[in-house]
Amino acid sequence: MKILVIDDERSIRLSLKIGLEKLGLEVSTAESAEEGLEIFKIQAPDLIILDINLPGMDGIEALKLFKKINPSVTIIMITYMTDVKLAVEAMKIGAYDYFTKPFNLLDINKSIEETLQYVKIKKDLNSNEDIALIGRSPSILNIKNTISDICQLDYDTTILITGESGTGKEVIAKTIHSYNKSKPFIAINCAAIPQNLQESELFGYEKGAFSDAKTDKIGLIEKANNGILFLDEIGDMDIGLQAKVLRVIQEKKFRRIGGTKEIQFEATILAATNKDLSKSITDGDFRKDLYYRLNVIPIYIPPLRDRKEDIPVLVYHFIDEYNNKLNKNILSIEDSAMELLKSYHWPGNVRELKNLLERIMIFKKGNTINSDDLPDEIKSLPSTISNSTLEDIEKQGIASVLFKNKWNISKSAKELGITRQTLRNKIEKYNIKK
């Protein structure tokens, strides 16, 4: 990957160049923003390391210009400790991160390696899919490390991805595939295909296997051979079909419907669900043996409300994305608006946040998002919950869901994962009013 270092201190340019080239990276340097701009236009670097205090055009102005030319470019700022406020301002404008002088080269190399991992994923995935792996919370960093470890192995395994709707389970699957895009990636949504058709879609069939089988049909399992088979919403798979899928995983072979020939099968199998499979097993809707066979490597994606430190990073990513798509020039979001976004319950998770930013930016005229741009169910929340009790947080979450659903008790109870009577009890307990 290409890196451009812009700093007026020769020692810093040289030390970064030497250190990063040892990582196998292609590094160019410039001592001014103006010189860096010329290199940027020719080389299109993947990452820019940009000093804030530069002669001539300063780093903040250069950041704005680089982002205007290429909104998706990733930029890390360099600053002295006395100028950290400027670095924070730079992140509001669109910088990915910053580090302070004097710095330890080993720490900087580690930070840059993590940033380049983000850049690689960003390049490999389409922008409308790149939502799950953006963040700096411990849970997201752990998921990134897990994926990296998995993909460095030349070994087919089974992975179970769990999390609420909208957290980005499919993106995790596509991120795993992005490490080797030459392999086939075959996905089936078990909730979207009628149960009576799931078997023929997965296994295919031979001509004459049933009345409508006029020709041979290759199933998705066969198409995924030597690649990745992604079973989305595995919790909705027919219980009878689950036994046949288990056999494929264990014996690494299968037959088409109506066929007699055993077909060998080697692939990484990813399964995803938003259901509680332990409960499904208890209810008799999911096989325990299949669960244990799928859950060799578990990946759990926490809901957005449990990783609020990722919200600012996601917000600026989506601003960046829609600036590019909508030809807008949104530069920042007011602190009060960001605090409100961090206070919201986000029942729809990252998908809901992405859709909200898209809606705001379609209609936004200025270059700063403020509290007035937010929907009523978010504006009505306190600006921060950092000092709230757990009961306060629960009250705010219930109130926001009720407001969103126009006080439809059944719909709100389902979204909150509680019974209607429990919801009514909590409304009375917290004295929540329309």
Side-chain angles (χ1 to χ4, degrees):
M1 286 190 176
K2 298 178 181 178
I3 296 183
L4 171 59
V5 177
I6 305 174
D7 197 299
D8 61 329
E9 295 184 50
R10 183 177 181 277
S11 60
I12 289 180
R13 294 198 305 274
L14 186 61
S15 62
L16 284 173
K17 181 176 175 64
I18 293 172
L20 294 174
E21 285 180 342
K22 287 181 179 178
L23 300 177
L25 302 169
E26 183 179 339
V27 184
S28 300
T29 64
E31 61 181 335
S32 68
E34 290 81 2
E35 182 186 357
L37 180 61
E38 295 304 313
I39 297 173
F40 176 71
K41 290 177 179 177
I42 296 170
Q43 296 186 357
D46 300 294
L47 173 65
I48 299 174
I49 300 176
L50 176 62
D51 188 19
I52 286 183
N53 294 303
L54 290 170
M57 182 189 301
D58 66 29
I60 298 294
E61 290 304 312
L63 169 65
K64 293 178 182 177
L65 186 55
F66 287 131
K67 281 291 185 179
K68 185 176 181 180
I69 296 172
N70 181 6
S72 64
V73 67
T74 303
I75 300 176
I76 294 177
M77 308 301 292
I78 309 175
T79 184
Y80 284 103
M81 284 297 295
T82 54
D83 294 324
V84 166
K85 287 185 178 179
L86 287 176
V88 173
E89 184 64 29
M91 292 188 68
K92 292 180 181 179
I93 295 171
Y96 179 77
D97 204 348
Y98 73 91
F99 52 80
T100 59
K101 301 176 184 178
F103 52 78
N104 182 296
L105 193 58
L106 291 176
D107 292 339
I108 294 304
N109 284 354
K110 183 178 179 182
S111 174
I112 290 171
E113 282 186 291
E114 291 177 355
T115 304
L116 289 174
Q117 176 80 357
Y118 160 79
V119 172
K120 181 182 183 302
I121 292 167
K122 188 174 180 181
K123 290 175 69 175
D124 285 340
L125 297 176
N126 294 328
S127 60
N128 65 335
E129 297 168 338
D130 186 18
I131 55 177
L133 292 182
I134 298 171
R136 303 175 193 171
S137 62
S139 57
I140 292 300
L141 292 177
N142 183 58
I143 290 173
K144 291 179 182 180
N145 291 333
T146 299
I147 291 174
S148 178
D149 290 344
I150 292 169
C151 296
Q152 288 177 22
L153 298 173
D154 184 19
Y155 176 74
D156 292 321
T157 186
T158 54
I159 302 163
L160 182 61
I161 309 167
T162 56
E164 295 180 3
S165 293
T167 50
K169 295 183 291 296
E170 183 175 359
V171 179
I172 295 289
K174 290 188 176 181
T175 301
I176 292 171
H177 178 237
S178 74
Y179 278 77
N180 196 336
K181 299 196 78 170
S182 63
K183 291 185 176 183
F185 177 86
I186 304 298
I188 179 172
N189 188 321
C190 301
I193 299 176
Q195 288 191 348
N196 62 321
L197 298 179
Q198 287 181 9
E199 183 174 2
S200 62
E201 286 294 317
L202 274 174
F203 290 90
Y205 50 77
E206 301 282 350
K207 180 180 178 181
F210 45 86
S211 58
D212 290 333
K214 307 298 183 185
T215 60
D216 292 349
K217 175 183 171 67
I218 297 176
L220 297 178
I221 288 178
E222 194 169 345
K223 290 180 179 179
N225 198 27
N226 297 314
I228 293 175
L229 177 65
F230 178 43
L231 302 172
D232 198 8
E233 303 302 347
I234 186 75
D236 292 286
M237 179 177 284
D238 176 72
I239 189 73
L241 183 58
Q242 291 174 26
K244 298 179 180 180
V245 170
L246 177 63
R247 179 178 178 269
V248 173
I249 298 173
Q250 290 178 331
E251 301 183 13
K252 299 186 181 299
K253 56 186 178 181
F254 69 96
R255 295 177 184 175
R256 296 177 187 168
I257 298 173
T260 57
K261 178 184 175 183
E262 293 279 6
I263 301 173
Q264 294 299 311
F265 175 73
E266 292 283 349
T268 293
I269 296 180
L270 309 179
T273 183
N274 59 15
K275 290 189 173 182
D276 181 351
L277 291 185
S278 298
K279 183 177 185 302
S280 297
I281 291 169
T282 302
D283 294 341
D285 296 326
F286 202 83
R287 294 179 63 101
K288 182 186 293 186
D289 48 5
L290 177 58
Y291 170 75
Y292 288 125
R293 194 63 191 83
L294 291 172
N295 201 39
V296 173
I297 300 177
I299 296 179
Y300 169 67
I301 312 174
L304 188 55
R305 62 183 172 272
D306 290 344
R307 50 185 182 96
K308 290 183 180 290
E309 63 266 52
D310 288 337
I311 289 176
V313 184
L314 286 161
V315 166
Y316 280 107
H317 168 76
F318 294 137
I319 289 175
D320 189 29
E321 177 180 329
Y322 289 114
N323 271 337
N324 191 32
K325 285 185 175 181
L326 302 171
N327 195 27
K328 296 277 188 171
N329 189 34
I330 306 297
L331 298 178
S332 63
I333 176 170
E334 288 184 353
D335 290 344
S336 59
M338 184 67 80
E339 285 301 311
L340 286 169
L341 292 177
K342 290 166 69 176
S343 297
Y344 183 53
H345 185 63
W346 297 112
N349 290 294
V350 180
R351 184 185 297 130
E352 183 182 3
L353 176 61
K354 177 183 172 73
N355 293 343
L356 173 62
L357 265 297
E358 179 181 10
R359 183 166 70 248
I360 289 172
M361 291 187 63
I362 285 173
F363 298 104
K364 185 65 183 177
K365 303 300 182 186
N367 59 13
T368 300
I369 295 174
N370 53 50
S371 300
D372 290 337
D373 297 314
L374 304 179
D376 289 343
E377 65 266 27
I378 298 180
K379 284 193 293 188
S380 64
L381 293 172
S383 62
T384 178
I385 59 171
S386 58
N387 295 319
S388 300
T389 65
L390 290 176
E391 289 193 343
D392 290 333
I393 295 171
E394 183 179 45
K395 178 180 178 179
Q396 292 169 18
I398 291 172
S400 66
V401 172
L402 286 167
F403 189 97
K404 174 187 172 186
N405 294 325
K406 299 179 180 179
W407 277 77
N408 183 313
I409 299 296
S410 297
K411 188 174 181 180
S412 298
K414 184 177 181 180
E415 191 167 291
L416 290 164
I418 58 179
T419 65
R420 293 177 49 173
Q421 186 57 50
T422 298
L423 177 55
R424 288 196 179 95
N425 291 342
K426 289 182 180 295
I427 291 171
E428 182 178 352
K429 173 183 175 181
Y430 295 130
N431 194 28
I432 302 173
K433 304 293 185 181
K434 283 188 180 182

